Amino acid sequence: MRKLFYLDTTLRDGEQSLGFTLNSQQKLLIAEQLVKLGVDIIEAGFPASSPGDFSSVREISNKVKGAAICGMARCVEKDIDLCVEALKKAESPMINLGLAVSPIHMEKKLKLNPAQVVERAVNAVHYAKKRLPEVQFYAEDALRSDPCFLREVFENVIEAGAAVVTVSDTVGCATPWKYGGLITYLKANVKNIDHVRLSTHCHNDLGMATANSLAGILAGADQTEGTINGIGERAGNASLEEMIMSILYLTEFENIQSGIIIKEIFKTSKMVSEITEMPIAKNKPIVGSNVYTHFSGIHQDGVIKEKSTYEIIDPEIIGAQKGKISLSARSGKAALKYKLDELGFAYHKSDLEFIFNRFKRTADNKTRVSEEDLSLLLE
Ligand code: MN
């Protein structure tokens, strides 16, 4: 078995995409729930970005125990100092330092050459390592970088004391085969890579954030980063609940171990949605409200006979209500009978055909047939 570390960045990457900021109280509630969910690391914020974010990270560090607390920082001393200060009372403090490594970011944004980028990264890791026990270094825009240069950056920051190195698909341009290939290359070629954790950080611009992260994990990544409900910059981050359930469900991940308590998934998702005012799409994998509801007559007949015919995940294991049958014009006799029995309606067996015909007529004029509709129909 190998242990997979989960870093949750709902409060950092997720929060920065909301268009408003969460207060310390709201962030504290989410952080406490993330501990119950069993994530290893909570990225609580970016202390240098604002006094409010600084106090939130400090508040979480003071009060939330049971997970490592991480703060983000650029590779500049002022950012690192503020992060160290905010994390002072954390049980296991951790800093997440980042620098861009792609030609476009180095030339246009940083205005640094590759050698200067390596130097800045190494200096920052050295500086942080003297002040904090655990330093993570993330290579921003790694998927548009030269893999040989990425290898050089990682070798240097590992030598400087980084305990975690992250391959960030900052702009969400990767595919599973490309992302997995890069992780395989780094695992095979970066000196001392087995002494540190290699982490994934994927964005969802092409709808592949979860798939890319899974490809990275399959190729040997030791840590994965994501957010609850997949919230985050632009199209969002890899969704933590999608990764967790894929790893649990797919046999290729049966050697993966983690501290996640899956029963807490649904509650965590609901809480994050409410506090962040980000509604969950009805068809959002794992946590959407339609995901365990069956509409088609063929599917309804199947799940009544055997749930697993159309339900690969039992919703009750993630703390959601059991699967539902939704009656509509697409439903068949099996579903109608199931629903009538479930709701405890009394009727004569020989009347079922007659009831079914009336039900079909009602259903054609409605999107869904409710309990009240059924009771009127039986009268
Ligand atoms: Mn990000």
Side-chain angles (χ1 to χ4, degrees), residues 12-13 170 201 203 237:
R12 201 278 298 165
D13 214 326
T170 309
H201 181 102
H203 277 268
N237 287 62

Side-chain angles (χ1 to χ4, degrees), residues 73-77 80 95-101 106 110 112-130 135-140 149-165:
R74 291 167 298 178
C75 286
V76 294
E77 292 185 359
I80 299 169
I95 191 166
N96 192 10
L97 281 174
L99 199 57
V101 292
M106 292 190 290
L110 299 173
L112 295 174
N113 65 38
Q116 292 169 314
V117 165
V118 173
E119 194 191 340
R120 187 181 286 189
V122 165
N123 288 343
V125 171
H126 262 304
Y127 187 84
K129 183 66 193 166
K130 281 193 203 131
V135 178
Q136 168 165 330
F137 176 84
Y138 72 91
E140 192 187 0
F149 177 61
L150 184 60
R151 187 193 67 179
E152 185 190 335
V153 172
F154 279 174
E155 283 182 350
N156 278 281
V157 295
I158 290 169
E159 205 185 317
V164 188
V165 287

Side-chain angles (χ1 to χ4, degrees), residues 201-232:
H201 181 102
C202 296
H203 277 268
N204 204 31
D205 298 69
L206 296 173
M208 288 190 273
T210 300
N212 292 338
S213 309
L214 294 176
I217 295 161
L218 203 57
D222 316 275
Q223 176 175 307
T224 193
E225 308 183 4
T227 59
I228 300 298
N229 302 333
I231 64 170

Side-chain angles (χ1 to χ4, degrees), residues 31-240:
E32 273 158 4
Q33 181 57 33
L34 290 171
V35 171
K36 287 188 194 149
L37 178 64
V39 304
D40 301 280
I41 306 141
I42 296 170
E43 187 168 43
F46 178 10
S49 68
S50 77
D53 217 27
F54 176 90
S55 356
S56 293
V57 176
R58 191 175 51 189
E59 192 84 345
I60 291 170
S61 299
N62 291 351
K63 295 186 179 152
V64 178
K65 307 296 163 190
I69 306 299
C70 176
M72 195 186 91
R74 291 167 298 178
C75 286
V76 294
E77 292 185 359
K78 186 195 85 175
D79 277 28
I80 299 169
D81 290 339
L82 282 167
C83 216
V84 171
E85 180 63 30
L87 293 168
K88 219 186 225 161
K89 297 243 174 83
E91 206 171 51
S92 347
M94 193 173 154
I95 191 166
N96 192 10
L97 281 174
L99 199 57
V101 292
S102 63
I104 182 166
H105 277 237
M106 292 190 290
E107 279 162 33
K108 306 285 179 195
K109 187 183 79 175
L110 299 173
K111 307 208 185 293
L112 295 174
N113 65 38
Q116 292 169 314
V117 165
V118 173
E119 194 191 340
R120 187 181 286 189
V122 165
N123 288 343
V125 171
H126 262 304
Y127 187 84
K129 183 66 193 166
K130 281 193 203 131
R131 291 156 178 84
L132 282 167
E134 193 155 79
V135 178
Q136 168 165 330
F137 176 84
Y138 72 91
E140 192 187 0
D141 204 16
L143 271 288
R144 293 192 293 177
S145 73
D146 170 4
C148 292
F149 177 61
L150 184 60
R151 187 193 67 179
E152 185 190 335
V153 172
F154 279 174
E155 283 182 350
N156 278 281
V157 295
I158 290 169
E159 205 185 317
V164 188
V165 287
T166 308
V167 179
S168 295
D169 182 17
T170 309
V171 295
C173 64
T175 55
W177 42 97
K178 198 174 164 194
Y179 198 88
L182 185 57
I183 297 292
T184 302
Y185 167 80
L186 294 168
K187 272 274 175 189
N189 293 288
V190 173
K191 204 174 136 196
N192 290 326
I193 192 74
D194 291 332
H195 300 151
V196 301
R197 295 202 297 272
L198 183 56
S199 183
T200 71
H201 181 102
C202 296
H203 277 268
N204 204 31
D205 298 69
L206 296 173
M208 288 190 273
T210 300
N212 292 338
S213 309
L214 294 176
I217 295 161
L218 203 57
D222 316 275
Q223 176 175 307
T224 193
E225 308 183 4
T227 59
I228 300 298
N229 302 333
I231 64 170
E233 281 283 341
R234 306 180 312 280
N237 287 62
S239 141
L240 222 57

